[in-house]
Amino acid sequence: MAVLGRNGRMGSEAVRAVEDAEDMALVAALGRGDDLQGIVDAGADVVVDLTVPSATRENVRFAVEHGIHAVVGTTGWDDAALAELETQLAAAPGTGVLIAPNFAVGAVLAMKFSELAAAFFDSVEIVELHHPRKLDAPSGTAARTAQLVAQARERAGLGGSPDATESDPQGARGADVDGVHVHSVRLQGLVAHQETLLGNPGEQLSIRHDSFDRVSFMTGVLLGVRSVASHPGLTRGLDGYMDLGL
Amino acid sequence: MAVLGRNGRMGSEAVRAVEDAEDMALVAALGRGDDLQGIVDAGADVVVDLTVPSATRENVRFAVEHGIHAVVGTTGWDDAALAELETQLAAAPGTGVLIAPNFAVGAVLAMKFSELAAAFFDSVEIVELHHPRKLDAPSGTAARTAQLVAQARERAGLGGSPDATESDPQGARGADVDGVHVHSVRLQGLVAHQETLLGNPGEQLSIRHDSFDRVSFMTGVLLGVRSVASHPGLTRGLDGYMDLGL
Amino acid sequence: MAVLGRNGRMGSEAVRAVEDAEDMALVAALGRGDDLQGIVDAGADVVVDLTVPSATRENVRFAVEHGIHAVVGTTGWDDAALAELETQLAAAPGTGVLIAPNFAVGAVLAMKFSELAAAFFDSVEIVELHHPRKLDAPSGTAARTAQLVAQARERAGLGGSPDATESDPQGARGADVDGVHVHSVRLQGLVAHQETLLGNPGEQLSIRHDSFDRVSFMTGVLLGVRSVASHPGLTRGLDGYMDLGL
Amino acid sequence: MAVLGRNGRMGSEAVRAVEDAEDMALVAALGRGDDLQGIVDAGADVVVDLTVPSATRENVRFAVEHGIHAVVGTTGWDDAALAELETQLAAAPGTGVLIAPNFAVGAVLAMKFSELAAAFFDSVEIVELHHPRKLDAPSGTAARTAQLVAQARERAGLGGSPDATESDPQGARGADVDGVHVHSVRLQGLVAHQETLLGNPGEQLSIRHDSFDRVSFMTGVLLGVRSVASHPGLTRGLDGYMDLGL
């Protein structure tokens, strides 16, 4: 297999992870400006794209054209780009592409479990905690989790979580994302953490994910590399490769 | 619907919960020594059995005989009793029985999510925390969770969690249940709490359930009452009624 | 000793707690309308006031007048009332009065530890979690903790916690109380919980208090009853009786 | 100031931390084999020793001999070595030495708060969680915390925590360190974490420290460097420099 974006933070971690994995052989690692033909010449069966939004679409197009499966962690895929890719894949029936916004399996499972549990609880709120250099609040993952939770509650016929708050002059109740309260903590020393709290009379279920280091993404990248060949066509989200019996 | 065991701790909570539920009508509530015929005379469609091991088998046999669905939270069902019940149910095709060891939906989901996640992590350990009047360690729920987690790891081809411990003279590493370490905390003020910790390089997933009050069981009892009629035959475990898409 | 407000929620708990304490004897328990002379006639040495704001001042005045120590959990003591009480106590040098807003020793310690730690960390935020019937956000205890933390940081010459947030359109960052972010979660099943999070590069210190039941206040009430005689004059806050070596 | 052990893991972090600190100037950084005279020639007022047990005693002796204050994070100081150092310091009245086993201020405070709180709770247990490459259980910090907690309980006249456990065939209750239960979790992805749980009827106080990265030690090293000149003589433990008003 081959890595694209070998000099980036994620790409260099991927090179190390693949080299450490006993069941994989790294045949090529390309950086900015390298000729993509290198992955073909090296005989790569799978390519991992951890490059930049301006490059990823051409990289994947090239890979599929040459029958090479692709595992993609780069952002920048809008609806038009995805539609174009699906058209290309329809004509390459044996080739698989995974495009995943998050490769930390714990984060993917935490989101999925939050969605599954949401139908069974009166209340749900989300707390996300990050390092203080983060520019936006709430985090994209927390906002996405809130949307999934809200949709699951709606499908189950649940209204909003009970809340008798009458006075909150300073906004302590946090953000309201589709009816789900989301709280953003920024704290020196932290990396990326998220907790979904679900409550019924007399009980609480908490689902928490802690990301301590970006190496956490590598478990999912390796899972993607191992699984992409057996999942032809386009798969969005790592959970598509995680057999939960769903 | 009717409640059996109305004077017990769980039974009296159930009476209250059913009375509070807008979509249910309590037509009978029986205590020790009351004639079971009362539930038939009252026209109950569903009976909730929260009695004692010595009574539950006859109660359920009677209910099924009269075409009344049963939701059972009483222990004492061994393999022979279950086989006999299944034989009876085979001859009563429209009648449903739910036998569940735990009606707290959060506890049921925590166990299920622990099992589902187990295949995707290098490490897993379980910490359960209870009030100091508990006689046994680890708790039955923690031991059962460890078994399910161990089986899921085995199915995924995973060995034991990594552990370099060489010196542990006082047993700080806790119990080893099928290869999964289980730790039991006993603390004044607590009720019943359990946490499954799962770890990969750079990340942790934690699934925690807190039971603060036995009223937590009522969410599951009501779910059972609402669902039993549409699940003919024997169902073991509340998760059989919780549609996770599994 | 004697209890005033024996029919209230707190008062009835106090009666039970005193009866259970082996080193105490309950000689009187008065409710609304009972003659205060009853505590003198019964020979009470200490009185616990768990009544209502409109009654507490007269109750305490009467107790001090008769040389009876008082432990007070009732609100309603403004600066004028406290000044008047101190004048009375100056003329009754052997008599002690404790007026405490919170008798849960864990809550008192959590607040004190948060204040002590605040000087040593770059970042601090507070998360409080309560049942969904609570009317105000943030909780009074959380707001008070934030103020104490802010003052401790100022004394240590620390500015605000680092925070690069540029975009927070929905207010996910919560309330800003004297420069300390406070987040309020409202969740079915919870009672009263609070966590102070403190962060430095590479580390986090978390101080959490969980109040599961109002019986938690009784530990502090008993501590007050046992200690008030040896603390003549007015003491505000249970921490005045908790010897931390401070 | 100067750093000894500049090539070690801790020493290289210290060099970086001092360079980043606006109020400090690094005048020398020595590695194995370098002549100690270098710190004198460079005019260092404080030296940080992060070397090895076989070198630290001679390094500190040399520093004190030349009137240079020392902040020492190296282990290897037995009673004899400490006695010898105190004798030397008695003859150098203006010079200060800090010898600390742990420079993470959060860890130091967590231990101190656990000790302070112990007298006020019925129950206390300790859970420590580390990466799975750790060789010993429980951790030294957890064992030390348990000892301090046990001593505080004894001073307060408290017996053991309540515990009705009758059956624990696999040792789920963990280690008993001076009557305090200690539990050791080993989990991939974790670094070094410890939680003290304290319980009374209806309430829990939890004091948790998370060490995510060894950079956490630098906050304490810098605190030591800034404070050592104003603390002549020998100080053991960073808490000696942390003014808690104790």
Side-chain angles (χ1 to χ4, degrees):
Chain A
M1 57 140 302
V3 170
L4 303 183
R6 72 169 180 192
N7 298 318
R9 293 191 310 177
M10 299 300 293
S12 54
E13 288 282 0
V15 166
R16 202 172 317 151
V18 169
E19 286 175 347
D20 287 355
E22 295 182 0
D23 61 341
M24 289 183 201
L26 182 70
V27 299
L30 274 58
R32 187 179 298 244
D34 288 343
D35 188 342
L36 283 172
Q37 184 62 32
I39 63 174
V40 178
D41 296 346
D45 53 344
V46 179
V47 69
V48 174
D49 181 285
L50 297 164
T51 59
V52 290
S54 59
T56 184
R57 290 173 60 171
E58 172 56 16
N59 292 344
V60 175
R61 198 198 55 69
F62 179 90
V64 173
E65 190 176 280
H66 291 82
I68 301 172
H69 311 290
V71 172
V72 182
T74 317
T75 56
W77 288 83
D78 57 22
D79 288 346
L82 291 166
E84 197 177 318
L85 175 58
E86 291 207 300
T87 302
Q88 186 187 8
L89 282 166
T95 305
V97 175
L98 170 68
I99 297 184
N102 196 331
F103 279 104
V105 301
V108 171
L109 287 174
M111 197 180 289
K112 175 59 72 178
F113 292 161
S114 298
E115 185 185 1
L116 290 175
F120 300 102
F121 287 87
D122 288 355
S123 296
V124 57
E125 302 210 356
I126 295 169
V127 182
E128 55 94 343
L129 313 93
H130 281 82
H131 57 83
R133 297 170 304 287
K134 188 166 179 62
L135 301 180
D136 54 320
S139 70
T141 301
R144 180 72 185 136
T145 307
Q147 290 168 349
L148 293 171
V149 160
Q151 290 164 11
R153 285 177 66 93
E154 195 177 344
R155 286 193 300 270
L158 295 173
S161 299
D163 183 0
T165 308
E166 289 181 357
S167 164
D168 179 16
Q170 294 152 302
R173 293 284 288 117
D176 177 327
V177 178
D178 293 357
V180 176
H181 282 265
V182 180
H183 310 269
S184 298
V185 173
R186 297 293 172 262
L187 205 78
Q188 191 71 276
L190 294 184
V191 183
H193 317 257
Q194 182 174 316
E195 192 159 27
T196 303
L197 306 175
L198 301 120
N200 272 336
E203 68 169 338
Q204 183 182 220
L205 177 67
S206 314
I207 301 165
R208 181 178 175 117
H209 182 251
D210 294 278
S211 185
F212 302 119
D213 189 298
R214 83 174 66 96
V215 73
S216 66
F217 290 86
M218 292 309 128
T219 307
V221 169
L222 296 184
L223 176 61
V225 170
R226 290 185 182 108
S227 308
V228 66
S230 57
H231 292 76
L234 175 61
T235 303
R236 295 178 66 182
L238 187 65
D239 50 328
Y241 287 12
M242 298 173 77
D243 183 14
L244 299 178
L246 293 171
Chain B
M1 57 138 299
V3 171
L4 302 182
R6 72 171 179 192
N7 299 317
R9 293 191 308 177
M10 299 301 293
S12 55
E13 288 281 0
V15 167
R16 202 172 315 151
V18 169
E19 288 175 345
D20 287 355
E22 296 182 359
D23 59 342
M24 289 182 200
L26 183 70
V27 297
L30 274 57
R32 186 178 299 243
D34 289 344
D35 188 342
L36 284 173
Q37 184 62 31
I39 61 174
V40 177
D41 296 346
D45 53 342
V46 178
V47 69
V48 174
D49 181 283
L50 297 165
T51 59
V52 291
S54 59
T56 184
R57 290 172 60 171
E58 172 55 17
N59 292 344
V60 175
R61 198 199 54 71
F62 179 89
V64 174
E65 190 175 281
H66 291 80
I68 301 172
H69 311 291
V71 172
V72 183
T74 317
T75 56
W77 289 83
D78 57 23
D79 287 346
L82 291 166
E84 197 177 318
L85 175 58
E86 291 207 298
T87 302
Q88 186 188 8
L89 282 166
T95 306
V97 175
L98 169 68
I99 297 184
N102 196 330
F103 278 104
V105 301
V108 171
L109 287 174
M111 197 180 291
K112 175 60 70 179
F113 292 163
S114 297
E115 185 185 0
L116 290 175
F120 300 102
F121 288 87
D122 289 354
S123 295
V124 58
E125 302 210 357
I126 294 169
V127 182
E128 55 94 344
L129 312 93
H130 282 82
H131 58 82
R133 298 171 303 287
K134 189 169 179 59
L135 301 180
D136 53 319
S139 70
T141 302
R144 180 72 184 136
T145 308
Q147 289 167 350
L148 293 171
V149 160
Q151 290 164 11
R153 285 177 67 92
E154 196 178 343
R155 286 194 299 273
L158 295 173
S161 298
D163 184 359
T165 308
E166 289 182 358
S167 165
D168 180 16
Q170 294 152 300
R173 293 283 289 117
D176 178 328
V177 177
D178 295 357
V180 176
H181 282 265
V182 180
H183 310 270
S184 299
V185 173
R186 296 294 172 261
L187 206 78
Q188 191 70 279
L190 295 184
V191 183
H193 316 257
Q194 182 175 316
E195 192 160 28
T196 303
L197 306 175
L198 302 119
N200 271 336
E203 67 168 338
Q204 183 182 220
L205 177 67
S206 314
I207 301 165
R208 180 178 176 118
H209 182 250
D210 294 278
S211 185
F212 302 119
D213 189 297
R214 83 174 67 97
V215 73
S216 65
F217 290 86
M218 292 309 128
T219 307
V221 169
L222 296 184
L223 176 62
V225 170
R226 291 187 181 106
S227 307
V228 67
S230 56
H231 292 77
L234 176 62
T235 303
R236 297 180 64 183
L238 187 65
D239 49 328
Y241 286 11
M242 299 173 77
D243 182 14
L244 299 177
L246 294 170
Chain C
M1 57 138 301
V3 170
L4 303 182
R6 71 170 180 193
N7 298 318
R9 293 191 309 177
M10 298 301 293
S12 55
E13 288 281 0
V15 167
R16 201 172 317 151
V18 169
E19 287 175 347
D20 287 354
E22 296 182 1
D23 61 340
M24 289 183 201
L26 182 70
V27 298
L30 274 58
R32 187 179 297 243
D34 290 343
D35 188 342
L36 283 173
Q37 184 62 30
I39 62 173
V40 178
D41 297 346
D45 53 344
V46 178
V47 69
V48 174
D49 181 285
L50 296 164
T51 58
V52 291
S54 60
T56 185
R57 290 172 61 171
E58 171 56 16
N59 292 345
V60 175
R61 198 198 55 70
F62 179 91
V64 173
E65 191 176 281
H66 291 81
I68 300 172
H69 311 291
V71 172
V72 183
T74 317
T75 56
W77 288 84
D78 57 23
D79 287 347
L82 291 166
E84 198 178 317
L85 176 58
E86 291 208 298
T87 301
Q88 186 188 10
L89 282 166
T95 305
V97 174
L98 169 68
I99 297 184
N102 195 331
F103 278 105
V105 301
V108 172
L109 287 174
M111 197 180 289
K112 175 60 71 178
F113 292 162
S114 297
E115 185 185 1
L116 291 175
F120 301 101
F121 287 87
D122 289 355
S123 295
V124 58
E125 302 210 357
I126 295 170
V127 182
E128 55 94 343
L129 312 93
H130 281 82
H131 57 83
R133 297 171 303 287
K134 190 168 178 60
L135 301 180
D136 53 319
S139 70
T141 301
R144 180 71 184 137
T145 307
Q147 289 167 350
L148 293 171
V149 160
Q151 289 164 12
R153 286 177 66 94
E154 194 177 345
R155 286 194 299 272
L158 295 173
S161 299
D163 183 359
T165 308
E166 290 182 358
S167 165
D168 180 16
Q170 294 151 300
R173 292 284 288 117
D176 178 327
V177 178
D178 293 358
V180 176
H181 282 265
V182 179
H183 310 269
S184 298
V185 173
R186 297 294 172 261
L187 206 78
Q188 191 70 278
L190 294 183
V191 184
H193 316 257
Q194 182 174 316
E195 192 160 30
T196 303
L197 306 176
L198 302 120
N200 272 336
E203 67 169 338
Q204 183 182 219
L205 177 66
S206 313
I207 300 165
R208 179 177 176 118
H209 181 252
D210 294 277
S211 185
F212 302 119
D213 189 298
R214 83 174 67 96
V215 73
S216 66
F217 289 87
M218 292 309 129
T219 307
V221 169
L222 297 183
L223 176 61
V225 171
R226 290 186 182 107
S227 307
V228 66
S230 57
H231 291 78
L234 175 61
T235 303
R236 295 179 65 181
L238 187 65
D239 50 327
Y241 286 13
M242 299 174 75
D243 182 14
L244 300 177
L246 293 170
Chain D
M1 57 140 302
V3 171
L4 303 183
R6 71 170 181 192
N7 299 318
R9 292 191 307 176
M10 298 301 293
S12 54
E13 288 281 0
V15 166
R16 203 172 316 152
V18 169
E19 288 174 346
D20 287 354
E22 295 183 0
D23 60 342
M24 288 182 201
L26 183 71
V27 299
L30 273 59
R32 187 178 296 245
D34 289 343
D35 188 343
L36 283 173
Q37 185 62 31
I39 61 174
V40 178
D41 296 346
D45 52 344
V46 179
V47 69
V48 174
D49 181 286
L50 298 164
T51 60
V52 291
S54 59
T56 184
R57 290 172 61 170
E58 172 55 18
N59 291 344
V60 175
R61 197 198 56 71
F62 180 91
V64 174
E65 190 176 281
H66 292 81
I68 300 172
H69 312 291
V71 172
V72 182
T74 317
T75 57
W77 289 83
D78 58 23
D79 288 347
L82 291 166
E84 197 177 318
L85 175 58
E86 291 207 299
T87 303
Q88 187 188 9
L89 282 166
T95 306
V97 174
L98 169 69
I99 297 184
N102 196 331
F103 278 105
V105 301
V108 172
L109 287 174
M111 197 180 291
K112 176 58 73 178
F113 292 163
S114 298
E115 186 185 0
L116 290 175
F120 301 101
F121 287 87
D122 288 354
S123 295
V124 57
E125 302 210 358
I126 294 169
V127 182
E128 56 94 343
L129 312 93
H130 281 83
H131 57 83
R133 298 170 303 288
K134 189 167 179 60
L135 301 180
D136 54 319
S139 70
T141 301
R144 180 73 185 136
T145 307
Q147 290 168 348
L148 292 170
V149 160
Q151 290 165 11
R153 285 177 67 92
E154 195 178 344
R155 286 193 300 271
L158 296 173
S161 299
D163 184 359
T165 308
E166 290 181 357
S167 165
D168 180 15
Q170 295 152 301
R173 293 284 289 117
D176 177 327
V177 178
D178 293 358
V180 176
H181 282 266
V182 180
H183 310 269
S184 298
V185 173
R186 297 292 173 262
L187 206 78
Q188 191 71 278
L190 294 184
V191 183
H193 316 257
Q194 182 175 317
E195 192 160 27
T196 303
L197 306 176
L198 302 120
N200 271 336
E203 68 169 337
Q204 182 182 222
L205 177 67
S206 313
I207 300 165
R208 181 178 175 117
H209 182 251
D210 294 277
S211 185
F212 303 118
D213 189 298
R214 85 174 64 98
V215 74
S216 65
F217 290 87
M218 292 308 128
T219 306
V221 169
L222 296 184
L223 176 62
V225 170
R226 291 185 181 108
S227 307
V228 66
S230 57
H231 291 78
L234 175 61
T235 303
R236 295 179 65 181
L238 186 65
D239 49 329
Y241 286 13
M242 298 173 77
D243 183 12
L244 299 178
L246 294 170

